[in-house]
Amino acid sequence: NAGVMQNPRHLVRRRGQEARLRCSPMKGHSHVYWYRQLPEEGLKFMVYLQKENIIDESGMPKERFSAEFPKEGPSILRIQQVVRGDSAAYFCASSPPGWRTDTQYFGPGTRLTVL
Amino acid sequence: DAKTTQPPSMDCAEGRAANLPCNHSTISGNEYVYWYRQIHSQGPQYIIHGLKNNETNEMASLIITEDRKSSTLILPHATLRDTAVYYCIVRVAGAQKLVFGQGTRLTINP
């Protein structure tokens, strides 16, 4: 059973460009979470999605950031008009449905560098 | 989610047991104790979790005190590959997010 997959693993963008980060959850998992880790800082929750629904986006910056988890395909975290402060590692986690088995399993992350 | 307190760093000799403490004095009755670790900038790795009883799996053991106000993660035979930042998190089952603190930076020495 493959783990959580994220791509690309490394992404370089210039200021003002768009960044798209993809996350494929583990097989059988329908819940996806995105976290961000700024350099030398801890992991911070950004958003929680179920298929086609955003459940909690309390950690998302108010502008330029959006996330989706369509019925088919991976979850996408989209950052428009990137700035240098967006440089960070972005981790995706997934969990199966059901509150008793909701342990989150993380992917390897996407490291975004904004020049 | 309840706040946890962990020592910022610890050292352990290779082959010895590593015992990582965590205080969670304000934990509620329905909150679980989770442990994750992050090796060098990789994605966090789930280790173990428990509610009241001690738990053991192939990676580690989790000892929770009877009053549930503290717990200890035990790596029975630490190897150099166990060098990582270890996070203790308390969380209600079904809660949507993990709240990571600063964790304990564990260094295994040869």
Side-chain angles (χ1 to χ4, degrees):
Chain A
N1 186 9
V4 178
M5 299 175 67
Q6 292 188 248
N7 65 81
R9 297 291 304 277
H10 300 273
L11 182 61
V12 179
R13 286 287 179 265
R14 297 190 181 279
R15 282 178 296 172
Q17 292 184 319
E18 178 179 286
R20 281 182 180 246
L21 289 62
R22 287 177 291 278
C23 169
S24 296
M26 290 176 68
K27 185 176 181 180
H29 288 194
S30 56
H31 300 189
V32 166
Y33 314 78
W34 286 93
Y35 294 79
R36 177 168 69 173
Q37 187 169 33
L38 295 168
E40 305 304 321
E41 294 191 17
L43 291 111
K44 303 291 185 188
F45 168 80
M46 299 181 74
V47 63
Y48 161 46
L49 310 99
Q50 297 178 18
K51 282 287 188 181
E52 300 184 280
N53 289 303
I54 296 175
I55 307 301
D56 179 2
E57 55 182 348
S58 60
M60 287 280 269
K62 295 288 185 254
E63 298 177 346
R64 302 186 297 107
F65 284 72
S66 62
E68 63 177 8
F69 188 16
K71 185 176 180 180
E72 301 292 338
S75 175
I76 305 288
L77 180 68
R78 181 183 178 204
I79 311 172
Q80 295 178 288
Q81 299 176 329
V82 296
V83 301
R84 290 227 172 103
D86 297 332
S87 295
Y90 292 82
F91 294 100
C92 165
S94 72
S95 68
W99 65 272
R100 287 192 180 274
T101 58
D102 65 345
T103 298
Q104 294 180 27
Y105 296 90
F106 285 78
T110 293
R111 275 145 193 87
L112 172 65
T113 301
V114 179
L115 301 178
Chain B
D1 292 341
K3 179 178 172 61
T4 62
T5 304
Q6 299 178 253
S9 64
M10 291 182 64
D11 285 86
C12 180
E14 187 179 20
R16 304 295 294 269
N19 297 287
L20 292 91
C22 179
N23 287 322
H24 30 80
S25 58
T26 59
I27 192 169
S28 301
N30 61 347
E31 287 183 311
Y32 287 73
V33 180
Y34 280 79
W35 284 84
Y36 283 80
R37 72 181 181 183
Q38 188 174 27
I39 297 173
H40 189 52
S41 298
Q42 297 178 20
Q45 180 185 21
Y46 165 76
I47 301 173
I48 199 167
H49 75 282
L51 182 63
K52 297 180 186 177
N53 300 321
N54 298 337
E55 302 288 342
T56 295
N57 62 21
E58 65 279 4
M59 289 184 67
S61 295
L62 174 60
I63 308 298
I64 303 175
T65 58
E66 192 168 344
D67 63 7
R68 303 211 321 123
K69 293 185 176 181
S70 65
S71 60
T72 301
L73 178 74
I74 300 173
L75 307 177
H77 304 287
T79 71
L80 298 178
R81 287 176 291 185
D82 291 321
T83 292
V85 179
Y86 287 76
Y87 297 98
C88 169
I89 300 168
V90 294
R91 169 175 179 260
V92 175
Q96 297 163 357
K97 60 189 177 185
L98 295 170
V99 179
F100 288 84
Q102 295 305 306
T104 295
R105 184 173 297 276
L106 175 66
T107 302
I108 307 300
N109 300 307

